[in-house]
Amino acid sequence: MSDAFTGTGRLAHLALRRDRVQLPVWILSTVALGAFARSALDTQYPTEADRLAVLRVAVDTPAVLMFRAAPTGTSTGEMTAFGILAFLAILAGFMSTLAVIRHTRQNEETGRAEMIGSTAVGRHAGLTAALVVVAGANLVLGALIALTLVGAGEPAAGSLAAGAGVGAAGIAFAAVAAVAAQLTQSARAANGIAAAVVGASYLVRGVADAFGEVQPNGYTMTSAWPSWLSPIGWTMQMRPFAEGGNRWWVLALPLALLVVAVAAAFALAGRRDVGMGLLADRPGPGQASPALLSPLGLAWRLQRGTALGWGIAIGVFSLVLGSMANAIDDLVAENTGVTGTLNDLAGGGAHAITDAFFGAMMATIGALVAGYLVQALMRPRAEEAGTRAEPVLATATGRLTWLGGHIAVATAGAVAMLGLAAVAMALVYGLSVHDLGGQLAHLAGTAYLQLPAVLTLAGLAVALFGLVPRFAVGLTWFGFALSFVLGPYGALLGVPESLRDVSPFSHTPAVPADATVAPLAVMSAIALVLGAAGLARFRRRDVAT
């Protein structure tokens, strides 16, 4: 081994020691979700006729295909791939990106990398150790998924292909995170870049499936070409359990991305100093704005980039959803089964077709807004770990005032984004049906029904920051990912109701007409209690690095 990789084994052992809780939780939760989805098939769709009926609805419903996948057949294995495989791949992606950046960029930001580098450790040992650990975690994840499917009675080859596809997606995203870790000075920014790539990959895969080609049989599809641009699309392109065999050669694509991205990461790492990023922070003005004299103004200055990025993404997504509503109206005239599927997405019950569609899509918007809020509320942890919070707190600024400023700015951003989603959808759909005012009022009510669930995750973020700061980032993102999957899509994936209840989004009514005070009040109270616990603990604990 060359000097650049000296100490890789010891650093990998250290990374495993640090992740002895987080990685097993991610892996076992992802495997359990796949197991629940597979077991639910026997009760949800006990016969081939039942499975055929739901696939005929799916191929006519772009919104369903975006959040599931292009179906390849009616066997239980193919139905499992159709229903859950893309979700498992996105969870593997988040697990991988967070872990790689935690053991690379975060170590540099907190000064641990410099301290370790003063010993007999090579230049590339830290990055190599992180990639080895994460690759191993994805291999374990893929193997457990395969074993679970085989245990459920699925063919061994298809089960292995499904597990390999999920693990390969995780490894591909780990390579992307390795590059992101070289670009920025902060772990928060690197996590943002990597998460954006994971989210974009899921969206590209969804669009490719939604606009794929329906086969002559009327219930299977071939994804459109953009699917080949996405690591999650590669997972689906392996076509596990499909007639004609599994496409093992597709694994060459994530392997090629791994080789290219890791080589690029090593090359970039050799061109920068430890602790610095290739994208240097812009120098500020010679004289600070008076707004920075207040904790609220400082919080806004630190969070405005995050808010702008998420706001643009949510606004564009909402415009697209608004434009799809008329197509849904036309579609239900031809296939009444679409209504039941969309009502499942909207959380159950019976609604008018457009109400069901907007309720289902607004649940997704609510989860995205929660993602923004989680990232924004992790900014205080980045400031603390980077030793930038300590000089501020050494002044007359109190701890609660400082953290409260970040909470206020992040919460205001979440409220604004829900309103933006309602306005964007209403502008497109309301104008097309000549009812802008009525649709704006209805969609605003639908959007703000998501606010208590969003704030519950915000309360969780604050509580974890106050109670366990060193684990706050990983645990908060895990809570968000779990809530996202179990809430809006838990019923479709066959997750037991007792487990779906863990997600606050499972208790959010789909439309204002369904709203009752009790669940919204309980979620709001939980958010307040969690937030208060985090604030109280932060007020008394030491500043952690």
Side-chain angles (χ1 to χ4, degrees):
M1 180 179 293
S2 67
D3 292 342
F5 298 95
T6 300
T8 297
R10 295 194 301 274
L11 290 181
H13 183 269
L14 176 62
L16 287 171
R17 176 74 173 79
R18 287 182 61 195
D19 281 355
R20 64 189 183 279
V21 174
Q22 293 192 55
L23 284 181
V25 168
W26 272 101
I27 291 170
L28 294 177
S29 298
T30 303
V31 172
L33 182 62
F36 284 133
R38 170 58 187 86
S39 64
L41 287 175
D42 296 330
T43 54
Q44 283 184 316
Y45 314 115
T47 68
E48 185 174 1
D50 294 327
R51 297 191 290 272
L52 182 61
V54 76
L55 291 185
R56 289 190 183 278
V57 172
V59 298
D60 288 333
T61 314
V64 172
L65 295 173
M66 284 189 68
F67 298 106
R68 283 204 169 190
T72 60
T74 58
S75 70
T76 54
E78 289 167 315
M79 291 294 291
T80 301
F82 162 71
I84 194 63
L85 207 59
F87 284 105
L88 301 184
I90 198 173
L91 289 175
F94 281 124
M95 175 189 75
S96 301
T97 56
L98 287 168
V100 168
I101 290 170
R102 181 164 59 249
H103 297 301
T104 54
R105 174 52 58 184
Q106 188 184 85
N107 279 352
E108 294 187 44
E109 188 177 16
T110 57
R112 287 192 291 265
E114 190 171 3
M115 181 178 62
I116 293 172
S118 65
T119 65
V121 171
R123 172 75 174 179
H124 299 316
L127 176 57
T128 305
L131 289 170
V132 167
V133 168
V134 174
N138 279 286
L139 290 174
V140 171
L141 173 62
L144 289 178
I145 289 173
L147 289 173
T148 300
L149 292 175
V150 169
E154 299 299 339
S159 301
L160 185 58
V166 173
I171 291 173
F173 286 122
V176 171
V179 175
Q182 314 308 316
L183 300 178
T184 67
Q185 285 189 238
S186 71
R188 182 190 61 85
N191 275 321
I193 293 172
V197 173
V198 175
S201 297
Y202 186 81
L203 180 61
V204 168
R205 191 280 318 159
V207 171
D209 288 345
F211 292 95
E213 180 182 355
V214 180
Q215 298 302 300
N217 58 26
Y219 63 88
T220 63
M221 296 183 66
T222 301
S223 301
W225 64 266
S227 177
W228 293 101
L229 304 178
S230 163
I232 298 177
W234 300 339
T235 300
M236 307 312 301
Q237 288 293 350
M238 289 192 67
R239 299 173 70 85
F241 307 107
E243 185 178 351
N246 308 295
R247 294 174 171 173
W248 293 103
W249 62 265
V250 176
L251 289 176
L253 296 175
L255 178 61
L257 176 60
L258 174 67
V259 172
V260 172
V262 169
F266 284 147
L268 294 174
R271 297 175 61 87
R272 64 177 181 84
D273 293 332
V274 175
M276 303 299 292
L278 290 174
L279 301 177
D281 292 342
R282 292 184 304 167
Q287 185 173 357
S289 167
L292 294 179
L293 295 174
S294 70
L296 197 63
L298 176 61
W300 166 244
R301 174 64 181 82
L302 294 172
Q303 294 191 22
R304 65 186 183 185
T306 301
L308 180 62
W310 279 92
I312 291 173
I314 288 172
V316 171
F317 186 46
S318 300
L319 288 172
V320 172
L321 293 177
S323 67
M324 292 172 61
N326 283 323
I328 295 296
D329 274 334
D330 296 336
L331 180 62
V332 73
E334 302 175 5
N335 193 332
T336 55
V338 173
T339 304
T341 302
L342 287 177
N343 278 324
D344 284 341
L345 276 169
H351 309 95
I353 183 63
T354 52
D355 286 349
F357 173 75
F358 282 125
M361 296 303 102
M362 205 62 81
T364 302
I365 293 291
L368 293 176
V369 172
Y372 151 74
L373 200 52
V374 166
Q375 185 175 357
L377 289 175
M378 288 299 99
R379 184 60 195 244
R381 175 56 191 156
E383 294 297 296
E384 182 183 25
T387 68
R388 295 181 294 273
E390 196 167 357
V392 176
L393 297 175
T395 67
T397 302
R399 290 191 176 205
L400 297 187
T401 304
W402 176 77
L403 182 54
H406 282 279
I407 295 172
V409 169
T411 302
V415 172
M417 287 179 197
L418 288 172
L420 173 65
V423 171
M425 289 187 192
L427 281 174
V428 178
Y429 181 69
L431 289 174
S432 69
V433 297
H434 309 291
D435 185 26
L436 178 59
Q439 292 300 324
L440 182 59
H442 176 72
L443 287 171
T446 304
Y448 283 114
L449 286 175
Q450 305 294 325
L451 188 58
V454 170
L455 293 180
T456 301
L457 284 176
L460 175 66
V462 175
L464 291 173
F465 170 70
L467 296 168
V468 285
R470 289 185 174 85
F471 303 102
V473 175
L475 291 177
T476 303
W477 279 111
F478 174 75
F480 162 74
L482 204 61
S483 297
F484 176 76
V485 173
L486 295 181
Y489 308 108
L492 282 178
L493 298 177
V495 178
E497 185 176 359
S498 59
L499 186 57
R500 297 202 307 269
D501 286 343
V502 172
S503 170
F505 295 105
S506 298
H507 306 282
T508 300
V511 294
D514 293 344
T516 55
V517 174
L520 301 179
V522 168
M523 284 190 287
S524 299
I526 291 173
L528 287 173
V529 169
L530 289 172
L535 286 167
R537 178 57 182 158
F538 177 65
R539 185 181 180 184
R540 291 173 173 80
R541 70 168 171 81
D542 293 335
V543 175
T545 57

